[in-house]
Amino acid sequence: MLRNAKVATRLPAKDLDRARAFYSEKLGLEPTEQREGGLRYAGATGEFAIFVSAGTQSGTHTQMGWEVEDIEATVRELRARGVAFEEYDLPGLKTVDGIAEITGNYPSKGIGERGAWFRDSEGNLLGIGQPVRS
């Protein structure tokens, strides 16, 4: 039933104006539509919405991510816009200057991945990844 359905991410926000400013000023994204209590953004192959919520984000896992062609250039550009990247030093996951080398990937994507993570204005943990092809 869901095999042919579109997939879309939903991210909660306590302050929709603050979230809109973050996505515009820091990520260079503008909503394609808006409604009372929500903003919808469209990308090349997907969409996400930010909605007003009284709930609390756990922020302990990646809630949305983008696949990019050049992670160093993307991190550099986002840092220039004021985005702060998370640094990790955990067993199996260590970032260097905000970017981690990750072993393994889905076979159709490559042999590994390079990843980086940051938080939006509402505490949602967002990621960017670049597949490492064989």
Side-chain angles (χ1 to χ4, degrees):
M1 179 185 296
L2 295 177
R3 182 177 315 156
N4 296 318
K6 288 175 129 181
V7 175
T9 298
R10 301 291 185 257
L11 296 173
K14 290 195 183 296
D15 184 326
L16 199 59
D17 290 332
R18 179 178 61 201
R20 182 183 194 140
F22 176 88
Y23 281 82
S24 176
E25 295 166 12
K26 306 293 186 191
L27 306 185
L29 301 173
E30 296 299 331
T32 54
E33 289 185 281
Q34 62 185 41
R35 67 175 188 180
E36 184 68 32
L39 303 169
R40 186 174 79 83
Y41 295 80
T45 60
E47 67 179 49
F48 68 96
I50 301 171
F51 65 96
V52 174
S53 174
T56 303
Q57 305 77 350
S58 73
T60 59
H61 67 283
T62 306
Q63 293 165 279
M64 183 173 68
W66 289 268
E67 185 176 300
V68 299
E69 292 294 320
D70 184 341
I71 197 165
E72 284 95 355
T74 303
V75 167
R76 195 169 38 252
E77 182 179 332
L78 291 174
R79 277 194 174 130
R81 291 173 161 266
V83 173
F85 284 85
E86 301 286 305
E87 293 290 345
Y88 297 105
D89 190 359
L90 306 167
L93 182 69
K94 179 175 175 52
T95 53
V96 176
D97 199 25
I99 300 172
E101 303 288 334
I102 302 162
T103 304
N105 202 339
Y106 299 103
S108 65
K109 293 196 173 260
I111 59 170
E113 186 173 18
R114 302 180 74 211
W117 296 267
F118 61 93
R119 294 184 186 281
D120 72 4
S121 61
E122 307 307 298
N124 295 302
L125 186 61
L126 309 176
I128 56 174
Q130 176 186 342
V132 175
R133 308 210 193 285
S134 53

